[in-house]
Amino acid sequence: MQTTLMIYDGTAPADSDVARTGGVPLAPAGFTWPMCGSGCGGPLRFFAHLPVEDGVLSVFVCQNDPGACAFWDAASSANRVHLFPREELQPIAVPETGVTLLPATSAIRNHVVALDPEEIDDRDDDDDLAPDPYDLARSGWKRGPEERFGKQREVLGSLGGSPSYLEDDRVPACRSCTSPMEFAAHLEEGISARTAMNLGGQLGYVFVCRACREGAFLTD
């Protein structure tokens, strides 16, 4: 069982083409900043730039009035996920009004964790749920044999794998082709107030339709 954790790796230039949360989005020429269609009508806040095998996932979430616009709902227009080609990306113009950027940019490095659930004997099994790969990998990050707690706040999410404890009926369908989307990443809120997106204390899930090169975001 392997999980690719995304680990906080210090700061990064705001317009760098590296895995990061925050900073300025990179997009093809002609791309315009996405706006919230769920209620406020303002610009969405840029959350993450995630290079993947077939391009870059660019994630936006509405933060103009947290709780009023349904950013947590994949079917709402209060979030956007785009799968851009990796070539010829450029910083896009940031709107002058609205909550658009995180105060600080967090660099991400990937770390593959191999886990055997049978060897994890100190987790709290208070129900019949099977061990979840992401939950196990995150809870064990930088935790020594005699330690109860590790440095889980350094974990900014994970790439690939399966969605952590998410019911099948919450997997979104592509708006263009109606096919079920593929899970792409988990996103945690962030390591500090300056780097964090307000997700209401929940975990973010990124899905993608690679054929249509578009995605969806939800929280749980």
Side-chain angles (χ1 to χ4, degrees), residues 57-190:
L57 290 167
S58 191
V59 183
F60 296 80
V61 177
C62 185
Q63 297 279 278
N64 293 301
D65 188 5
C69 298
F71 65 80
W72 55 85
D73 184 356
S76 82
S77 298
N79 57 68
R80 299 282 198 291
V81 177
H82 300 276
L83 177 60
F84 295 133
R86 194 71 185 271
E87 300 80 17
E88 299 183 3
L89 298 179
Q90 60 189 37
I92 65 175
V94 180
E96 295 181 357
T97 61
V99 182
T100 55
L101 301 178
L102 290 170
T105 306
S106 299
I108 292 171
R109 64 181 175 88
N110 293 339
H111 181 82
V112 177
V113 177
L115 287 171
D116 181 356
E118 298 299 325
E119 297 178 358
I120 308 298
D121 57 5
D122 56 353
R123 66 181 185 272
D124 294 326
D125 285 332
D126 56 2
D127 53 34
D128 295 328
L129 291 175
D132 176 78
Y134 174 66
D135 190 42
L136 291 176
R138 180 181 180 275
S139 65
W141 174 246
K142 283 195 174 180
R143 184 174 63 185
E146 305 302 322
E147 291 180 315
R148 180 171 177 78
F149 303 106
K151 296 185 178 180
Q152 291 89 357
R153 287 188 65 82
E154 294 180 356
V155 179
L156 301 184
S158 70
L159 278 179
S162 58
S164 178
Y165 296 123
L166 191 71
E167 298 294 334
D168 290 343
D169 62 2
R170 295 205 64 198
V171 173
C174 176
R175 296 182 185 182
S176 296
C177 70
T178 71
S179 297
M181 288 190 175
E182 174 187 341
F183 176 71
H186 294 109
L187 282 171
E188 300 284 351
E189 286 189 318

